[in-house]
Amino acid sequence: MEELFVHGLEWTTKDLFCYPNEFIYWSIQIVMYPYMTGLVAGAFVLSSLYHVFGQEDLKDIARFSLVFSLALLPVAAMPLLMHLQQTLRAIEPLLTPHFTSAIAAFGIVFSSYALIVISEIWFVYREFIVAQVEALKDKPGAGNAVMRFLYRGMTMGAYDVSEKAIATDHRAVKILAAIGIPVACFLHGYAGFIFGSVKANALWMSPLMPVIFIMSAVVSGIALCMLTYIVIMEWKKFSTTLARGRGDQAVKVLGGVELDVIKKTSRYLLGFLIAAISLELLDLIFRGYTAMKSWDILRSVMYGKDFINIFVLQYGLGNLVPFTLLLLPKMTIRRMVVALCLVLYGVFMMRWNVVIGGQAFSLSFAGYMHYHLPIIPHNLETFKEGLFGALTVAVTPFLLFWGINKIIPCLNVPKID
Amino acid sequence: MSCSRRKFLKTTIAGAAAASVPLSALKFISPDEVRASVGDEKTRWVFLVDTQKCVGCGFCVKACKLENEVPYDVPVTRTWVERYVVTRDGQTHIDSPDGGREGYPTAKMNDEVIDPKEISKAFFVPKLCNQCQNPACVQVCPVGATYQTLDGVVLIDRKWCIGCGYCVMACPYGVRFFHPVHKVAEKCTFCYHRISQGLKTACVDACSFGARQIGNLKDPNDPVTRVIMNERVAVLKDEYGTKPQVFYIGLDKEVR
């Protein structure tokens, strides 16, 4: 007999009166989706700061964050694929898009964004790719032959590396990066629209939702990029220390540059954090003040069942603590790392409280639903929509990045560009 | 050289695009076939529930599950019956165990037995898809797998639904769920396969008390239309602007 699997039954418990068909249908993967999309957008925007606005101090991290955003890109769609009940039909929104739906445009926005990122990377790396084809020409071994074949394919026949051609490449990079910024913001802001436009859900339904989502995306994107920047600079410092000894001048210079860049960027982080928190609080106060029909149940969820998640973990640990850490004088890298991790955690909790919190109460306003994250999977469904599915999504960008970095190295390539 | 490459790429793209058009997309459908599959504008199917007549036997739920092949032992259902008990202290108790498919043989509600002397009023409310005039579920479907027929019924194409759950989220009435076997969105269709053949829905046929009736709102002589036009009826959650087409007689303010 085939297994009857009621989607949602596994991880939902009900309290008081909920309609029979109500379950937590949108679970951990839908928490991961806006979180990962936000990180993609953030990484790309950071790389554009160098390519479009010529922020020279971001030169190193710009190349890294551009390639990292390519690694993050498939991962933004991955939670959606894992969430779909009919994953094999995932192409349909592109075949028969039904544009009254907020999700219908996802494939189009997502693939145009992917095209922008891939072509920008191609232009950035074209000279390098041509150089590789030449370099591998006379080298023996099957591995080198395969790599040379790969690079030859990647040139797409464009072997011209004259000064004029390279200048054209640079112009193309600039244009693509400039187009990419609004597209990245749109890709993310509209994730907020997907939730904000669900009129049946009392918690989600708010015109502020897309703006709140963009703000928190920028916050998480900047935080992740700052964090990776710190990791890279620390690695550089470490390798310089190994090569030249602890007290070397170069180590001090690197440390000074690192703190300077991080301090500058943290001002933007603070600004966006303030905007995000203000909007969220405005939304909360407005709901309490207008006290519509749904307020009774919303209040009991926010101030009761989800109090720890919302006010302690999200606003307290994820917003207030890092905010204080960032404002305190005599900033150190260590304190900054703690603050950035907490900011990333705070944004994750915000996604959690929106997605899971929005399903914590029944549409009847007379009952509650509780979400129990499946930890040990016992079938495909509990893997996909459980802890390990979420971890798979979280780990994949780093694996992809490792692979991509083998082909187009973006760490410690001093020569090109 | 570069010119012939360009030509090659052009031909490749054109060829790939042509190959990606599925042959079924080119099938011609006769106007009769279209009319049969999307209904016609001379009909507007509506439902009438008389809550005064419902006794909560659950036969409608059973009949629906059998007729529409929704597995019996799962808690999801296309239609269900809710029990409301309002006590003298003003508290409202609501339950619908397994959608009420076994009826309500005990006085126990949510593990609590209510003293009959404390009850000020009690009643049953059958629920089903409202086949809204302005359906939120159709609006949000990203692939157009759920659609509204010309005679007003909202249907789902099981071969095209991707199972994203957006429609489930968008329905204010909570009528949608994922079919445990087909793994796609599922909901009440007013038994479209029956009503389009001149039959009544399974739940209407199963109701011995006449609490459920189906009719055509565009036919002024239809008994259901006459009740909707001449008597005082209400709908559920009209604040969402969905214009529900299931009308209720004797709807209490406590009904969710």
Side-chain angles (χ1 to χ4, degrees), chain A residues 124-133 151 407-409 413 416:
Chain A
V124 168
Y125 276 94
R126 203 178 64 81
E127 198 183 351
F128 170 82
I129 295 166
V130 174
Q132 287 310 104
V133 176
Y151 282 122
I407 301 165
I408 42 170
V413 227
I416 310 113

Side-chain angles (χ1 to χ4, degrees), chain A residues 187-265:
Chain A
L187 175 70
H188 192 75
Y190 121 112
F193 188 84
I194 290 176
F195 292 97
S197 62
V198 177
K199 61 183 170 187
N201 191 302
L203 187 77
W204 294 346
M205 164 79 168
S206 162
L208 286 182
M209 203 56 106
V211 198
I212 291 175
F213 263 58
I214 293 183
M215 291 304 164
S216 52
V218 176
V219 168
S220 68
I222 294 181
L224 182 74
C225 287
M226 284 170 76
L227 204 59
T228 41
Y229 185 74
I230 289 175
V231 171
I232 291 169
M233 290 304 272
E234 287 299 314
W235 170 250
K236 274 193 174 176
K237 256 170 44 183
F238 179 70
S239 51
T240 320
T241 312
L242 279 185
R244 300 191 188 183
R246 188 171 279 273
D248 193 85
Q249 193 61 31
V251 178
K252 283 181 189 153
V253 170
L254 276 177
V257 169
E258 180 187 8
L259 196 59
D260 187 50
V261 170
I262 289 298
K263 272 184 179 169
K264 264 193 219 156
T265 327

Side-chain angles (χ1 to χ4, degrees), chain A residues 9-253:
Chain A
L9 183 63
E10 194 94 26
W11 50 77
T12 311
T13 49
K14 297 182 181 182
D15 201 9
L16 299 173
F17 177 67
C18 301
Y19 295 129
N21 298 332
E22 273 187 298
F23 294 100
I24 298 200
Y25 286 103
W26 282 4
S27 61
I28 185 75
Q29 293 296 359
I30 304 297
V31 179
M32 294 304 285
Y33 157 62
Y35 193 62
M36 298 317 278
T37 325
L39 296 180
V40 179
F44 184 81
V45 166
L46 193 76
S47 81
S48 298
L49 285 180
Y50 165 68
H51 290 299
V52 182
F53 304 109
Q55 303 282 330
E56 282 299 322
D57 45 357
L58 294 176
K59 189 171 174 176
D60 279 345
I61 198 174
R63 185 184 282 271
F64 162 77
S65 56
L66 181 62
V67 175
F68 196 55
S69 78
L70 177 68
L72 279 166
L73 196 69
V75 184
M78 209 170 127
L80 297 180
L81 293 180
M82 289 177 96
H83 162 75
L84 286 190
Q85 290 286 291
Q86 299 286 344
T87 310
L88 296 176
R89 298 181 187 171
I91 191 70
E92 286 176 13
L94 289 170
L95 296 179
T96 58
H98 185 239
F99 284 117
T100 59
S101 166
I103 310 187
F106 176 81
I108 292 164
V109 177
F110 180 79
S111 33
S112 35
Y113 180 67
L115 278 179
I116 290 172
V117 172
I118 291 167
S119 27
E120 186 176 337
I121 288 178
W122 188 73
F123 280 116
V124 168
Y125 276 94
R126 203 178 64 81
E127 198 183 351
F128 170 82
I129 295 166
V130 174
Q132 287 310 104
V133 176
E134 285 303 308
L136 292 171
K137 200 169 188 175
D138 303 317
K139 282 194 183 165
N144 281 331
V146 171
M147 283 306 274
R148 184 162 184 269
F149 183 73
L150 189 68
Y151 282 122
R152 274 184 66 192
M154 282 165 68
T155 62
M156 297 203 283
Y159 287 98
D160 186 359
V161 282
S162 65
E163 221 163 88
K164 200 177 148 210
I166 296 299
T168 316
D169 283 359
H170 284 220
R171 216 169 37 247
V173 168
K174 201 168 176 174
I175 293 169
L176 284 169
I179 302 170
I181 296 175
V183 176
C185 287
F186 186 74
L187 175 70
H188 192 75
Y190 121 112
F193 188 84
I194 290 176
F195 292 97
S197 62
V198 177
K199 61 183 170 187
N201 191 302
L203 187 77
W204 294 346
M205 164 79 168
S206 162
L208 286 182
M209 203 56 106
V211 198
I212 291 175
F213 263 58
I214 293 183
M215 291 304 164
S216 52
V218 176
V219 168
S220 68
I222 294 181
L224 182 74
C225 287
M226 284 170 76
L227 204 59
T228 41
Y229 185 74
I230 289 175
V231 171
I232 291 169
M233 290 304 272
E234 287 299 314
W235 170 250
K236 274 193 174 176
K237 256 170 44 183
F238 179 70
S239 51
T240 320
T241 312
L242 279 185
R244 300 191 188 183
R246 188 171 279 273
D248 193 85
Q249 193 61 31
V251 178
K252 283 181 189 153
V253 170

